[in-house]
């Protein structure tokens, strides 16, 4: 197995991590390594070349601490702003408790804290400079300067712009001057906290104890003398803490990853006599994740070793991915997101011993050790062999497949879940023995869910190499049909490893590309055949073909396209696996299990709904609805209701205009009403398309043609939307000018669009991306448009329906405005159209059901921007959304159920 080495400095043998001043760490790694790994008369030979490690790294843990600190500040301000009674009671209780403290104790505490708050940072800085760790002191000074700036900004905000409740919670009358207020944030304490956190004092036990004593004494003396409040102290600590970790994440922390020479010295401390070490080369196609760095080590006497080095930086890789999986998945998420090196070491050692005890072939762990304060190593007997991913297809025999399943059965007999049965975790040695590696992410005493997930993962991994039939047959021969059938509900992409999901997505794109190419080829052949038939006909020319012959040729072309699509259509691997299992167990459960705890769409909906609610509530607090509704023009309200109802007729026209087949018009209107219910449970740009496609299929339109019809409708709708937005924007820009020259805003918008088009066309990656998407869109839409163009009345109906649909919404919004505003508060219809078109575009792009949040905010801000008072804009938008989104939900639900019972959906 070809392997590569480590750091270039190790290959030269001229330097190590301890020689770099910025590589120092809180525990003085250089001094510690010198004591633990003394010089020996051995030559540390490190083969190959490893990329130079960066001097500084950005730790995800620092970013998480920053986010936690910011969240703490937000929660503190929220409590101070909304729980005024609680804050007042807390301050009174603390005042009573501290008021009983002896004066002598107060004076001693104040004097000691005021001196120590300055001396402790200076003393630590001197100690670090003696250790030649000046860069860490520079980090602390930078954090202190930034913290001081944040405290000044916070003081200014509290004094001039903060609500009264927050000001009262963070300040109080100064004891020295009753007309002055105390500082909301202590200008000297926050920088000190930021400095001491950034330089790493909290990780030194003695210095940490001194730090807490100083902070407690200072807080006590300030509270007793009345120069601060409890919330002010907490805010000061949170600001200093957050700024420190934000600074560390921005500038990076010193990289203390152990080098090859450190590894060689560490091996000697546990009794080995290494001669050389070579770094394992991991292909780019393999997701290394947090697997650690692997070395092949030769010894002076004895067989070679496989050594895995795990450090904090390697362990942090994929941190945010693991957090997301743990939050969103049920019961089988990845290991703990925050895990210490000691926990990682113990977990991998436990899994290694447990796997061997279960009778499975796994690397034998013979020793473990620490490599300084920020790394550990695990020493295994050398296994050799090649991974399943690197084997040729002819080398993967049925015996090899069955042997792999035997190893998994051995693990599952002792309730051990591997959790990562990808191709690179399965090794095959020269004798053909299968060895399972990468056990550190596994779990002992695993539940049935995890064991079934292992089976689903391995059958997918093997299916990617040998096909679904051989993969399922090998599993059935070892595990039996019941165990394999039980994994079918787990056979879904979200439960597989990241690398497996990426492979399935790549295969899906290739499969879709082949289907599109087949449709395009069939369409080209049909057009060529039509042209040849027209040229060979000596009696008539193409323009004089009668309608019957034209329809016959069109049907023949569509039939050829459908046949080509049916021939090119391929099942995905997971579907093939299900079919293979169902042949043995027809009664096996196939309904996918609910593995997601929280879906991204649901999370986005909650966030958008909260933002929209906050925005709307802030707009509505100053509006007197009683007076507003008493003076409302109910005639305009009725008009708004009428325009909202008419929009469903227009939507049906815009859809049927691109469907040459006969579809009942009344039932189509009912389907559009049902779409108002679907919009609440799915994004507007997704739910309506899916419902209309399903409706057309149930109405007798072939699936491919139904998708093409909806795509053509969406494409023409997009074009009309852009044209109307530009046209009404032009008219809005000329309203206040005597000439017909457009406004500067319109010109700037057009120039921006032109620049974006130039950027897309000039960058190869973007150009290819757009061309691929456009080609995939036109692959099915263009043949459908040819059918529509042969019926001009259909095209007129479709385009007219789109224009009527936009007009209905614009008139509904305009009527809502007129219902709550007088003539002086009205705006032009062109301005209303521009605001609606912009809000509708944003609502379609927003990943929230019905565009909730995005549409309300855009429409309200847009109406205010064009001159409508906020007292009229907010209720007008609320009524418009009530008529077009919320009130139609109940009729939409009834229509949806009715059409479903009739088999129309």
């Amino acid at each position: 197995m070809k392997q590569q080495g480590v750091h270039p400095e190790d290959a030269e043998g001229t330097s190590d991590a301890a020689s770099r001043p910025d590589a120092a760490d809180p525990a003085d790694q250089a001094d510690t390594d010198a004591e633990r790994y003394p010089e020996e008369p051995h030559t540390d030979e490190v083969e190959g070349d490893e990329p130079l490690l960066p001097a500084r790294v950005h730790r995800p843990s620092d970013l998480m601490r920053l986010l936690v600190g910011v969240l703490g500040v937000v929660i503190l301000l929220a409590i101070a702003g909304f729980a005024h009674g609680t804050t007042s009671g807390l301050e009174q209780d603390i005042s009573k408790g501290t008021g009983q403290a002896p004066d002598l104790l107060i004076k001693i505490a104040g004097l000691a804290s005021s001196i120590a708050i300055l001396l402790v940072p200076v003393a630590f800085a001197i100690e670090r400079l003696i250790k030649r760790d000046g860069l860490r002191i520079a980090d602390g000074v930078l954090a202190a300067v930034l913290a001081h700036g944040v405290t000044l900004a916070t003081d200014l905000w509290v004094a001039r712009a903060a609500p009264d409740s927050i000001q009262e919670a963070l300040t109080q009358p100064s004891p020295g001057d009753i007309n002055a207020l105390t500082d909301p944030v202590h200008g000297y304490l926050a920088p000190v906290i930021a400095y001491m956190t950034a330089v790493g004092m909290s990780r030194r036990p003695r210095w940490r104890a001194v730090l807490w004593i100083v902070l407690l004494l200072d807080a006590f003396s300030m509270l007793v003398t009345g120069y601060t409040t409890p919330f002010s102290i907490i805010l000061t600590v949170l600001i200093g803490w957050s700024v420190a970790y934000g600074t560390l994440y921005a500038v990076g922390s010193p990289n203390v990853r152990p080098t090859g020479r450190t590894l060689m010295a560490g091996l000697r401390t546990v009794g080995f006599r290494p001669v050389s070490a070579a770094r394992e080369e991991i292909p780019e196609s393999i997701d290394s994740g947090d697997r650690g760095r692997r070395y092949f080590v030769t010894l002076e006497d004895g067989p070679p070793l496989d050594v895995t080095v795990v450090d904090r930086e390697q362990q942090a890789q994929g941190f945010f991915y693991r957090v997301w999986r743990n939050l969103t998945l049920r019961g089988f998420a990845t290991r703990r997101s925050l895990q210490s090196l000691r926990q990682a070491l113990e977990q991998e050692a436990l899994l290694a011993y447990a796997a061997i005890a279960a009778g499975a072939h796994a690397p034998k762990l013979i020793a473990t050790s620490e490599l300084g304060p920020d790394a550990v190593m695990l020493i295994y007997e050398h296994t050799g062999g090649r991974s399943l991913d690197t084997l040729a297809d002819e080398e993967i025999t049925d015996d090899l497949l069955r042997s792999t399943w035997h190893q998994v059965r051995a693990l599952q007999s002792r309730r051990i879940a591997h959790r990562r049965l990808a191709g690179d975790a399965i090794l095959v040695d020269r004798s053909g023995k299968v060895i399972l590696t990468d056990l550190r992410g596994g779990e002992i005493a695993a539940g049935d869910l995890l064991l079934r997930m292992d089976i689903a993962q391995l059958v997918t991994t093997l299916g990617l190499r040998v096909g679904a039939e051989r993969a399922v047959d090998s599993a059935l021969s070892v595990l039996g049909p019941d165990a394999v059938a039980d994994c079918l509900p787990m056979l879904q992409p979200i439960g597989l490893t990241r690398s497996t999901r990426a492979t399935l997505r790549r295969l899906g794109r290739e499969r879709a590309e082949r289907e599109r190419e087949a449709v395009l080829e069939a369409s080209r052949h049909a057009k060529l055949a039509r042209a040849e038939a027209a040229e060979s006909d000596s009696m008539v020319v193409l323009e004089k073909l009668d309608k019957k012959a034209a329809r016959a040729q069109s049907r023949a072309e569509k039939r050829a396209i459908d046949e080509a699509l049916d021939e090119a259509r391929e099942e995905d691997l997971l579907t093939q696996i299900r079919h293979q299992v169902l042949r043995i167990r027809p009664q096996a459960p196939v309904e996918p299990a609910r593995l997601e705890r929280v879906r991204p769409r649901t999370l986005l909906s909650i966030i958008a709904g909260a933002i929209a609610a906050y925005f709307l509530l802030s707009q509505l607090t100053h509006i007197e609805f009683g007076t507003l509704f008493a003076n409302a023009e109910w005639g305009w309200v009725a008009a708004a209701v009428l325009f909202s109802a008419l929009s469903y007729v227009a939507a049906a026209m815009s859809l049927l205009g691109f469907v040459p087949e006969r579809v009942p018009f009344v039932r189509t209107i009912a389907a559009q009403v049902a779409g108002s219910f679907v919009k609440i449970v799915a994004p507007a740009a997704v739910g309506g398309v899916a419902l209309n496609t399903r409706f057309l299929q149930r109405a007798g339109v072939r699936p491919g043609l139904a998708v093409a019809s909806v795509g053509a409708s969406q494409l023409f709708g997009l074009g009309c939307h852009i044209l109307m937005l530009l046209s009404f924007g032009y008219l809005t820009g000329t309203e206040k000018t005597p000439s017909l020259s457009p406004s500067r805003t319109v010109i700037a918008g057009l120039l921006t669009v032109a620049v974006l088009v130039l950027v897309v066309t000039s960058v190869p990656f973007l150009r290819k991306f757009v061309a691929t998407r456009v080609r995939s869109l036109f692959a099915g839409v263009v043949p459908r448009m040819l059918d529509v163009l042969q019926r001009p009345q259909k095209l007129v109906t479709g385009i007219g329906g789109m224009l009527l649909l936009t007009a209905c919404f614009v008139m509904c919004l305009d009527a809502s405005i007129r219902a709550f505003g007088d003539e002086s508060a009205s705006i032009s219809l062109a301005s209303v159209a521009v605001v609606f078109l912009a809000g509708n575009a944003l609502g379609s792009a927003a990943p929230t059901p019905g565009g909730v949040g995005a549409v309300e905010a855009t429409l309200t801000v847009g109406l205010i921007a064009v001159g409508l008072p906020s007292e009229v804009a907010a209720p007008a938008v609320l009524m418009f959304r009530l008529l077009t989104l919320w009130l139609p939900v109940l009729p939409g639900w009834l229509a949806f159920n009715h059409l479903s019972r009739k088999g129309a959906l």
Side-chain angles (χ1 to χ4, degrees), residues 600-617 683 842-843 845-858 881 886:
R601 185 185 67 193
T602 304
L603 186 60
L604 289 175
S605 301
I606 294 174
I607 295 174
I611 295 174
Y614 173 79
F615 178 82
L616 292 177
L617 288 176
L842 184 57
T848 57
V852 174
V855 174
E856 287 84 355
T858 304
R881 293 291 281 173
W886 299 111

Side-chain angles (χ1 to χ4, degrees), residues 501-520:
R501 294 199 304 272
T503 303
L504 292 176
R505 286 194 298 267
R506 177 178 57 81
L507 295 177
R509 290 192 296 268
E510 295 175 357
R511 186 169 58 251
E513 184 65 24
R514 289 193 295 269
E515 293 178 0
R516 287 193 294 267
E517 293 295 336
V519 171
L520 292 175

Side-chain angles (χ1 to χ4, degrees), residues 23 48 67 71 86 157 383 472 477 495 557 594 600 764 787 879 887 893:
L67 297 178
L71 179 61
T86 303
W157 173 74
T383 55
V472 173
S477 64
E557 181 178 350
R594 176 70 184 276
D787 297 337
M879 191 178 79
L887 286 183
W893 178 72

Side-chain angles (χ1 to χ4, degrees), residues 750-826:
L750 294 176
L751 290 178
T752 302
V753 173
V755 170
L756 290 176
V757 172
L758 290 176
V759 170
V760 171
T761 55
S762 60
V763 179
F765 170 75
L766 295 177
R767 184 171 63 248
K768 182 180 179 181
F769 177 82
V770 174
T772 303
R773 294 299 184 271
V774 172
R775 184 172 60 178
S776 64
L777 176 64
F778 277 88
V781 171
V782 171
R784 195 59 165 168
M785 290 306 305
L786 295 177
D787 297 337
V788 176
L789 290 175
Q790 295 178 5
R791 298 184 178 183
Q793 68 276 13
K794 280 284 187 180
L795 187 61
V796 171
T797 301
I799 297 178
M802 292 175 184
L803 297 177
L804 180 60
L805 179 63
T806 302
C808 288
F809 283 125
V810 172
M811 295 303 297
C812 180
L813 180 58
D814 184 71
S816 301
I817 295 172
R818 295 178 183 275
F820 294 103
D822 53 19
E823 292 297 330
S824 61
S826 62

Side-chain angles (χ1 to χ4, degrees), residues 118-333:
L118 298 177
L119 288 183
V120 171
V122 174
F124 187 80
I126 294 174
E127 190 260 355
R128 287 290 87 195
L129 290 175
I130 293 175
K131 298 288 187 178
R132 294 183 299 176
D133 193 9
L135 287 181
R136 191 176 296 275
I137 301 302
D139 294 342
V141 173
L142 176 61
V145 172
L146 294 177
H148 184 66
V150 173
T151 58
L152 292 179
T154 305
D155 288 344
L156 185 63
W157 173 74
V158 172
R160 298 187 178 182
D164 295 338
S165 57
I166 294 180
Q167 190 178 85
E168 293 176 5
L170 298 177
T171 62
Q172 64 181 11
S174 176
D177 185 0
I178 194 171
N179 295 323
L181 297 176
T182 58
D183 294 333
V185 182
H186 299 290
Y188 68 89
L189 187 58
V192 170
I193 294 175
Y195 167 84
M196 292 189 292
T197 305
V199 298
M201 288 183 64
S202 60
R203 287 176 288 181
R204 306 291 299 275
R206 295 179 180 178
W207 288 101
R208 182 173 61 240
V210 174
L211 170 64
W212 279 109
I213 292 174
V214 170
L215 292 178
L216 290 176
L217 285 177
D218 184 76
F220 174 76
S221 61
M222 296 291 288
L223 281 174
V224 171
T225 54
Y227 281 98
T228 189
T229 65
F231 281 87
S232 176
I233 292 178
I234 298 175
L235 181 62
T236 300
V237 174
L238 288 175
I239 288 178
W241 196 66
S242 304
V243 171
Y245 284 112
T247 304
L248 290 177
Y249 185 76
V251 304
S253 301
N255 194 345
V256 293
R257 296 176 67 174
T259 60
R261 294 185 63 184
T262 306
L263 169 67
M264 302 286 274
L267 288 171
R268 295 189 186 101
T269 62
V270 290
F272 297 99
R273 304 183 66 185
V275 175
S276 64
R279 172 80 179 273
E280 178 184 354
E281 181 181 5
I282 301 178
E284 295 182 358
S285 59
I286 296 178
D287 180 20
S288 59
D290 57 352
R291 296 165 57 190
R293 291 177 289 164
R294 300 181 178 183
Y295 295 87
F296 173 74
V297 179
T298 57
L299 304 178
E300 291 183 5
D301 51 353
L305 304 173
D306 290 330
V307 181
T308 300
V309 176
V310 181
D311 54 55
R312 296 190 187 277
E313 304 310 320
Q314 207 101 32
Q315 192 185 22
Q317 292 186 14
F319 170 79
F320 296 106
Y321 171 75
R322 293 195 300 270
V323 170
W324 175 251
R325 297 275 289 183
N326 287 333
L327 288 175
T328 57
L329 301 185
R330 296 173 180 265
F332 74 97

Side-chain angles (χ1 to χ4, degrees), residues 472-622:
V472 173
D473 289 343
S474 62
L476 292 172
S477 64
V478 177
L479 302 181
D482 293 335
V484 179
D486 287 341
C487 81
L488 288 187
M490 308 295 115
L491 201 64
Q492 45 186 307
I494 192 173
L496 305 177
T497 63
R498 183 190 296 187
S499 59
T500 305
R501 294 199 304 272
T503 303
L504 292 176
R505 286 194 298 267
R506 177 178 57 81
L507 295 177
R509 290 192 296 268
E510 295 175 357
R511 186 169 58 251
E513 184 65 24
R514 289 193 295 269
E515 293 178 0
R516 287 193 294 267
E517 293 295 336
V519 171
L520 292 175
E521 187 67 22
S523 178
R524 285 194 293 267
H525 283 301
K527 293 178 183 178
L528 182 61
R530 177 189 293 186
E532 292 177 353
E535 292 177 358
S536 61
D537 192 350
S538 59
M539 300 298 295
V540 293
V541 295
L542 181 62
E543 290 79 2
K544 295 184 179 180
L545 285 175
D546 57 11
K547 294 184 179 180
K548 184 177 181 180
R551 286 195 296 269
Q553 291 179 356
S554 177
R555 286 194 296 269
E557 181 178 350
K558 289 187 291 185
R559 185 165 54 252
I561 293 175
D562 292 339
E563 292 175 355
L565 184 60
D566 292 337
E567 293 177 1
R569 184 174 288 112
E570 306 173 23
E571 290 184 336
D572 62 277
L573 177 63
L574 301 185
T575 302
Q576 296 177 27
I577 293 174
R578 292 189 188 96
H579 289 169
Q580 291 295 328
V581 176
L582 290 175
R583 291 179 181 178
I584 307 300
R585 280 287 186 272
Q587 70 277 14
V590 295
E591 186 69 22
R594 176 70 184 276
L595 302 179
E596 290 179 294
R597 180 185 293 116
V598 179
R599 295 183 178 180
R601 185 185 67 193
T602 304
L603 186 60
L604 289 175
S605 301
I606 294 174
I607 295 174
I611 295 174
Y614 173 79
F615 178 82
L616 292 177
L617 288 176
S618 63
Q619 293 291 325
L620 300 178
T621 53
H622 304 291

